[in-house]
Amino acid sequence: MGVYEEISEKLDELYEKIQPYDLGWLEDAKKTFDLFTKFEKLRDFLSALESVERALENDKTKEQELKQVRFLLNELQKSEPDFLIEKLKRKGYSIAQNNKDLKDAIGNGMFRLLEQIRLGKRDAVMGMLIRSFATNKVEVPMELIEASKPKYDINLFRAFMYAFLSGFIDKQGGESDE
């Protein structure tokens, strides 16, 4: 049996366990959903495929295999921004929940940040964010550094920043006095 069939079979088993009378399936479901939503495992595949691609480029007898690997690599790379958006959402939420001073610093400049993002001023946005992190002696998340790279077009940059900042917005619609 191939890996795909095994995974599909295991997912079917988990699905069949989901019922309200015995909640023993909850931990398995959480870990399984994490595999699909946090994308860490897929990043490993991306690196592995890139390595295989480099090796096949040197072997002229493997042209067809190289095409297949490049197709898979392209499919994964197309979804890479989606990975980053999800990571930025989680990272922004985590930082906002765990560091009130940084949340307040970013919150105080939120309208200016949003305007700079809308205008596509990548350097200004990153400068404001890095200043807030440095002032509060918090390390800038690697996800934020990755999101600022010019390899992503301006619309993706906007999506990345909005995803990150969504964790800093008060969901109750008012100021928090805590």
Side-chain angles (χ1 to χ4, degrees), residues 115-127:
E115 181 63 10
Q116 296 300 306
I117 293 167
R118 185 187 70 78
L119 293 171
K121 297 194 175 186
R122 193 183 308 240
D123 292 340
V125 171
M126 291 308 296

Side-chain angles (χ1 to χ4, degrees), residues 94-104 136 138 168:
S94 174
I95 290 169
Q97 295 301 305
N98 297 317
N99 193 318
K100 183 179 179 348
D101 292 338
L102 183 56
K103 180 180 180 180
D104 290 345
N136 288 283
V138 175
F168 291 86

Side-chain angles (χ1 to χ4, degrees), residues 5 12 20 31 51 61 66 71 74 76 88 115 149-150:
E5 288 84 11
D12 289 342
K31 288 178 181 176
S51 177
T61 66
L66 180 60
F71 174 79
N74 186 43
L76 268 179
L88 285 162
E115 181 63 10
K149 291 182 178 175

Side-chain angles (χ1 to χ4, degrees), residues 47 49-59 66:
S47 297
L49 284 172
E50 287 169 343
S51 177
V52 169
E53 178 188 37
R54 284 189 299 274
L56 290 177
E57 284 175 334
N58 298 326
D59 187 346
L66 180 60

Side-chain angles (χ1 to χ4, degrees), residues 45-94:
F45 281 100
L46 191 60
S47 297
L49 284 172
E50 287 169 343
S51 177
V52 169
E53 178 188 37
R54 284 189 299 274
L56 290 177
E57 284 175 334
N58 298 326
D59 187 346
K60 298 298 178 199
T61 66
K62 303 281 186 177
E63 289 291 325
Q64 194 59 35
E65 291 86 347
L66 180 60
K67 284 181 182 178
Q68 292 173 336
V69 167
R70 284 186 171 152
F71 174 79
L72 287 175
L73 190 55
N74 186 43
E75 289 297 304
L76 268 179
Q77 286 171 332
K78 280 194 289 188
S79 61
E80 187 177 12
D82 295 338
F83 302 163
L84 188 51
I85 285 174
E86 288 304 315
K87 283 184 167 186
L88 285 162
K89 278 171 50 175
R90 283 193 307 279
K91 185 60 78 170
Y93 180 79
S94 174

Side-chain angles (χ1 to χ4, degrees), residues 6 11 14 47 68 74 96 109 132 148 164-165:
E6 287 181 45
L11 288 173
L14 177 59
S47 297
Q68 292 173 336
N74 186 43
S132 294
S148 71
F164 178 74
L165 293 174

